[in-house]
Amino acid sequence: LDLVAVASAYAGAKGAAFLTVAASGDGQRVRSILLGHGVKTVQVVGAVDPQLLDTLRAAGMAISQTAGRTAADVSLELAKQIGLSKGVVVASATDSRALPLAVNFATRRSQPLLLLQGGALTPAASLALGAGGSDNIVVVGGADQVPDAALAGLPAKRLNTADLAIASLTARS
């Protein structure tokens, strides 16, 4: 779920389509779908069957792949591609209540989604947020999932998910 969330938010921020595929499967079918929609560039998030990538390259598509040890690593790389200066949405990779809301919120705002693994920013993520120059960091989830200490010194606002109905309305506005 965490990589799907990151990929979905990335596609939303880029104004791109989002397609999930099995780790291995019918490359010709995926090729046909993408060609049918005029896709020329594919951003792959996570691990995919190398034969699928070869099939897409043979069809003339440019392929970029972002993979990492964790969803937090992948989310940081994609956030850097989008750019952090216009803002970023932060959530815990393990918060099943907040993650769908974080994807929705990031997509509606065309901002990257940065995931925390184990309730902490990696040193690279802390550095990127500090250097990104953003004063628009929105944390989705409670302090039990994204501790205040994880974002100490950063201009972060918290969108609390204690009441998801209210939080969903907040995300829509």
Side-chain angles (χ1 to χ4, degrees):
L1 177 62
D2 48 6
L3 276 180
V4 172
V6 169
S8 178
Y10 176 81
K14 297 291 271 184
F18 173 65
L19 175 68
T20 58
V21 297
S24 63
D26 186 4
Q28 293 302 321
R29 182 171 174 267
V30 172
R31 177 189 161 278
S32 295
I33 291 169
L34 295 176
L35 287 175
H37 288 283
V39 173
K40 300 202 182 312
T41 303
V42 175
Q43 172 68 51
V44 176
V45 177
V48 176
D49 184 351
Q51 290 180 339
L52 172 60
L53 300 180
D54 292 342
T55 298
L56 299 179
R57 283 187 189 100
M61 294 179 205
I63 307 292
S64 296
Q65 186 169 13
T66 303
R69 293 185 316 263
T70 67
D73 294 336
V74 172
S75 73
L76 176 60
E77 289 308 311
L78 293 176
K80 287 179 184 177
Q81 288 179 28
I82 295 168
L84 300 171
S85 63
K86 64 180 183 171
V88 64
V89 177
V90 177
S92 169
T94 58
D95 189 345
S96 61
R97 290 188 67 205
L99 201 50
L101 178 61
V103 170
N104 182 38
F105 197 75
T107 300
R108 288 179 180 269
R109 295 168 56 124
S110 297
Q111 293 176 333
L113 174 63
L114 184 61
L115 295 181
L116 276 67
Q117 197 73 41
L121 285 173
T122 63
S126 293
L127 183 62
L129 281 175
S134 177
D135 60 357
N136 189 7
I137 300 170
V138 177
V139 179
V140 179
D144 59 321
Q145 292 290 326
V146 182
D148 291 333
L151 299 163
L154 295 171
K157 301 175 283 216
R158 184 177 301 278
L159 177 61
N160 201 324
T161 57
D163 183 346
L164 284 176
I166 291 172
S168 293
L169 291 173
T170 305
R172 288 191 188 126
S173 59

